Amino acid sequence: METTTMVPATALTVEAENADPKSQGRLALSARRKKPFRWALWSTLTVIGLFAFLPIYWLAVTSVTPNDQVFAYPPSLVPTEVTFEHYVSVFANPAIFGYLKNSIIVSVVTAVLSVVVSMYMGYAFSKFRFRGRKSLMYFVLSSQMFPQALLLVTLYVVFAQFGLLNTYQALIISFTTFTLPLCVWMLKGFFDALPDDLIEAAKIDGAGPWRTFHSVILPLALPGLVAAGLFAFVRGWNDFMFALTLAGPEKQTLPPGLVNTFIFEASAAWPALMAASLLVSAPVCIAFIFLQRFLVGGITAGAVKG
């Protein structure tokens, strides 16, 4: 009785390709084409990585460099001597904690207020049909066409007349005004992605419009709400021009506060400023790390055309 030997199909394929000169030529040509593509891809990623992370690395290096070596020539990418006295000086400065408190108050209130207002506006634009809806939508969007610096003088005069200069209210109102258009359109796009069948099902179950929105729609819109809130928070945290102009020394946030603390008329404490900049950037970086999933989902959903 003859014994039959089973040969795997993959082995037969390899043998066939090895026996066929044309197949070998196609494989060699494909390998030669992929090699330059891989080199180009990795080169592009390397350039982008250096462009993004080299300033951060230089910031960290400067923050641990002694004062007498900051302007050494030629500059060194690796510090020859490391010191943490600049971080100690930042923590020992009580004014920094005052600026930090102001930034937290202004940024958190701006984020909450922007989300609360924009979620109702975005939902109304998305699920309701009324006269002038499209005109109002584009009117909200058109406010992004003008540079925000043009409004600085006007806002300064208005806040001065109402006695709001050098207060938290002036900064919160300004930042909320600038963040609302993008937040509204972001959440509108997110609400557009939610099917209307959810609203109809809630009506059948006896839920009213307010109950439907707060109990059914908002839990599903959590990624969009987080994305809008994070955008508004970063806008309030990073602003320099309005915080410097509309707020006095007691209400200034971190960006103008750090400049006034470490940059003087004829000199600047660059290592201490770099150390403070790294420390105050940590909360935003941590927020992005933990909320990245919600942020990406919210921005992606907000990109849906409505």
Side-chain angles (χ1 to χ4, degrees), residues 37-53:
F37 175 76
R38 291 178 179 176
W39 276 103
L41 177 62
W42 284 108
S43 299
T44 304
L45 293 177
T46 301
V47 172
I48 295 175
L50 290 175
F51 181 80
F53 294 104

Side-chain angles (χ1 to χ4, degrees), residues 168-223:
Y168 291 134
Q169 290 87 336
L171 298 180
I172 293 171
I173 294 173
S174 301
F175 299 158
T176 304
T177 303
F178 301 143
T179 57
L180 271 181
L182 182 59
C183 291
V184 169
W185 274 82
M186 183 187 302
L187 291 179
K188 177 194 174 298
F190 197 93
F191 291 134
D192 287 342
L194 298 179
D196 295 338
D197 296 340
L198 295 173
I199 302 176
E200 296 299 329
K203 289 182 179 179
I204 294 175
D205 291 338
W210 285 93
R211 179 68 180 275
T212 301
F213 177 69
H214 292 95
S215 300
V216 178
I217 301 299
L218 281 187
L220 298 176
L222 181 60

Side-chain angles (χ1 to χ4, degrees), residues 214-268:
H214 292 95
S215 300
V216 178
I217 301 299
L218 281 187
L220 298 176
L222 181 60
L225 298 178
V226 173
L230 189 57
F231 167 75
F233 179 87
V234 173
R235 175 64 179 82
W237 188 271
N238 291 334
D239 182 85
F240 175 82
M241 181 173 55
F242 282 82
L244 178 66
T245 307
L246 301 179
E250 296 182 356
K251 302 298 182 181
Q252 281 182 352
T253 55
L254 280 167
L258 294 181
V259 171
N260 292 333
T261 302
F262 297 108
I263 296 182
F264 314 106
E265 185 175 353
S267 62

Side-chain angles (χ1 to χ4, degrees), residues 24-200:
Q24 293 180 353
R26 286 195 297 268
L27 291 175
L29 180 61
S30 176
R32 287 195 299 268
R33 288 178 177 177
K34 288 182 179 180
K35 191 173 182 179
F37 175 76
R38 291 178 179 176
W39 276 103
L41 177 62
W42 284 108
S43 299
T44 304
L45 293 177
T46 301
V47 172
I48 295 175
L50 290 175
F51 181 80
F53 294 104
L54 187 58
I56 301 176
Y57 173 77
W58 188 253
L59 191 73
V61 168
T62 306
S63 67
V64 296
T65 302
N67 288 321
D68 56 351
Q69 298 182 13
V70 173
F71 297 102
Y73 186 83
S76 176
L77 291 177
V78 180
T80 57
E81 184 178 350
V82 176
T83 179
F84 294 97
E85 62 180 4
H86 308 303
Y87 289 93
V88 175
S89 65
V90 171
F91 283 109
N93 192 337
I96 301 299
F97 292 95
Y99 299 139
L100 178 61
K101 181 194 71 173
N102 296 338
S103 289
I104 293 175
I105 293 175
V106 171
S107 301
V108 170
V109 176
T110 298
V112 173
L113 188 59
S114 298
V115 170
V116 170
V117 175
S118 60
M119 71 182 186
Y120 289 112
M121 292 182 64
Y123 184 72
F125 287 149
S126 175
K127 300 302 182 182
F128 294 95
R129 299 295 180 266
F130 50 89
R131 181 177 299 179
R133 168 178 167 270
K134 288 188 176 181
S135 299
L136 185 58
M137 286 168 51
Y138 288 111
F139 176 76
V140 172
L141 184 62
S142 65
S143 62
Q144 296 292 95
M145 299 172 55
F146 303 97
Q148 297 174 359
L150 293 178
L151 302 177
L152 182 58
V153 176
T154 303
L155 289 176
Y156 185 91
V157 174
V158 171
F159 290 146
Q161 292 178 350
F162 284 93
L164 295 177
L165 287 179
N166 305 329
T167 63
Y168 291 134
Q169 290 87 336
L171 298 180
I172 293 171
I173 294 173
S174 301
F175 299 158
T176 304
T177 303
F178 301 143
T179 57
L180 271 181
L182 182 59
C183 291
V184 169
W185 274 82
M186 183 187 302
L187 291 179
K188 177 194 174 298
F190 197 93
F191 291 134
D192 287 342
L194 298 179
D196 295 338
D197 296 340
L198 295 173
I199 302 176
E200 296 299 329

Side-chain angles (χ1 to χ4, degrees), residues 3-39:
T3 303
T4 304
T5 303
M6 301 297 295
V7 181
T10 55
L12 292 175
T13 304
V14 172
E15 291 179 0
E17 290 179 350
N18 291 336
D20 188 0
K22 293 183 179 180
S23 299
Q24 293 180 353
R26 286 195 297 268
L27 291 175
L29 180 61
S30 176
R32 287 195 299 268
R33 288 178 177 177
K34 288 182 179 180
K35 191 173 182 179
F37 175 76
R38 291 178 179 176
W39 276 103

